[in-house]
Amino acid sequence: MKRMMFIITAVVLLLSSIPVVAAENPVIYTDTITVTEDGGRYQVGFVNVEFKKDFIDPAKLPATFDVKVYAENGVGYVEFAPDTPNFYKKVHIRIDKYDGLLYDQATGENIEVHVKKQQILAEHFSRYAWDL
């Protein structure tokens, strides 16, 4: 009976520590996208980026961007690298409703966020803040 109680206690302790380990991993959404002359839609986490056809000088295509979605000091960001100036047509960034964790780079920990659905019309690429 003592052995059975020890095994049950060990299993309960082991299973109760699993969510703690999972919560320690930073929740950052990243992707590398390559856009051709046809444009297109790309999903990075809960952020959708839409490129219209002929959105940029054709000599700069295909264009590859690293996209990162994270928080900093309690503010949400979507960041594009490299910075790209002067689109011919605005790039439509849609932020979907999201309730969950997102990594805050300033505090070094995941924070609980409640994101409302919103849109950004980008005339160039750099870093865009949005409401949490």
Side-chain angles (χ1 to χ4, degrees), residues 36-39 52-58 61 87-89:
T36 64
E37 63 274 352
D38 293 330
K52 300 289 184 191
K53 188 174 180 171
D54 300 323
F55 78 101
I56 197 169
D57 180 2
L61 294 172
F87 293 144
Y88 292 163
K89 296 179 182 177

Side-chain angles (χ1 to χ4, degrees), residues 24-87:
E24 292 176 5
N25 294 329
V27 179
I28 299 175
Y29 297 99
T30 61
D31 200 359
T32 300
I33 58 177
T34 301
V35 185
T36 64
E37 63 274 352
D38 293 330
R41 282 188 176 197
Y42 302 87
Q43 189 78 29
V44 181
F46 54 91
V47 175
N48 182 289
V49 185
E50 181 182 3
F51 299 87
K52 300 289 184 191
K53 188 174 180 171
D54 300 323
F55 78 101
I56 197 169
D57 180 2
K60 295 181 180 180
L61 294 172
T64 300
F65 302 102
D66 293 321
V67 185
K68 185 176 178 182
V69 178
Y70 60 95
E72 188 174 298
N73 291 318
V75 176
Y77 286 95
V78 58
E79 184 174 340
F80 297 88
D83 291 351
T84 307
N86 305 327
F87 293 144

Side-chain angles (χ1 to χ4, degrees), residues 62-132:
T64 300
F65 302 102
D66 293 321
V67 185
K68 185 176 178 182
V69 178
Y70 60 95
E72 188 174 298
N73 291 318
V75 176
Y77 286 95
V78 58
E79 184 174 340
F80 297 88
D83 291 351
T84 307
N86 305 327
F87 293 144
Y88 292 163
K89 296 179 182 177
K90 294 178 182 177
V91 173
H92 198 164
I93 303 168
R94 291 180 186 90
I95 297 134
D96 296 330
K97 182 177 185 241
Y98 174 75
D99 292 312
L101 296 176
L102 195 58
Y103 187 72
D104 190 311
Q105 291 187 335
T107 64
E109 59 188 31
N110 291 327
I111 60 172
E112 187 74 28
V113 297
H114 305 285
V115 180
K116 299 174 196 159
K117 189 173 182 176
Q118 47 200 299
Q119 300 180 43
I120 299 169
L121 293 175
E123 296 179 3
H124 60 88
F125 270 168
S126 60
R127 181 170 99 147
Y128 290 95
W130 36 268
D131 297 328
L132 289 179

